[in-house]
Amino acid sequence: MKQSPPAEIDIADMTWPPPPYRSPVPSVTGADGVRRFDGITYATTPGYRPRLLDVQVPAGEGPFPAVVWIHGGGWLDGDRRYPPPTVPADLLHGAVLAAGLALVSIDYRHSLEAPFPAQLHDVKAAIRYVRAFAGDLGIDPDRIGVWGESAGGHLAALAGLVGPDGPQGAALEGAEGVGSGASGVRAVVDWYGVADLVTLAEHPMPAMPGTEFPDPYEALLGATVAERPDLARAASPVTYADGSNPPPFLLVHGTHDGLVPYSQSEALAAALKSAGGEVTLQPVEGADHIFLGSSAIPAIVEGGVAFLARHLGAGA
């Protein structure tokens, strides 16, 4: 592998405290020509772990459109490096890169580290970071989409719908990392994400024998939905679906999802259509959460990649 030379450090230019993010690390180029930037610190906050992202850029001449991947895990768990166990990383990453899209995989603060809207603040900070350093990363700052699964699908939907000029815009935008700049996206793929926390409170959590797993919705809000219905609405993508000019959405959801009911994606699709938005709702018949029970995973992945490539102008 070819590695870029380390950047020179000018001690005279150093400041204290350090800035709330770091410049991109040197890239490593693989035999396949893919450039990789691993473990970039896109945001720091005293008292919390640094938030990291990885970037993979296809071989060839850029700049390339980019997909920001947001992992799931009930906002309590998960890791930027690993898709759900039903979706091999090589399949997901390879399909994205083969389509001429750069892949940005991000971590964010979990809910027991900081309640909502910290997770959305981090997603917005990652998007701002990618735009600010697009030239170094070989990315087109005007062609960025988001793709998330489960908790990450919820955050992807919010990233697509929440803007600084909307309801509670400044409070939801945050100022983490690169504190200013555009955080909007051109397309959203949401796999089985939560759309309405208020109605979801009526759906009992399935039992998890042998585990002591906190209630993910209570952990996200720092309270029950009944105690903080205002925050539950603020954390629900349907709240913002009637905003002006939403980006195109692809919603993919198992019809037998026992954790996040299929009706959640139906509700978001209906709200987006009512607002005149472009939305495709793709049911995965008989599949549970994370598409358990489906044999169509490769086709589902390819469908998400094709949707993003089309709306981000990959190859243009």
Side-chain angles (χ1 to χ4, degrees), residues 218-244:
E218 185 173 341
L220 178 68
L221 301 177
T224 65
V225 171
E227 292 168 336
R228 290 298 309 274
D230 57 332
L231 188 58
R233 285 190 292 271
S236 297
V238 292
T239 300
Y240 313 98
D242 61 353
S244 60

Side-chain angles (χ1 to χ4, degrees), residues 19-21 41-51 109 122 175-177:
Y21 56 88
T41 300
Y42 74 84
T44 63
T45 307
Y48 297 96
R49 61 190 167 101
R51 269 81 79 208
R109 282 171 290 178
D122 290 349
E176 300 291 326

Side-chain angles (χ1 to χ4, degrees), residues 5 41 56 61 72 99 113 127 148 176 178 201 211 221 229 251 265 296 301:
T41 300
Q56 300 181 64
E61 293 295 324
E113 294 178 271
I127 295 168
E176 300 291 326
V178 177
T211 64
L221 301 177
L251 307 174
S265 285
V301 170

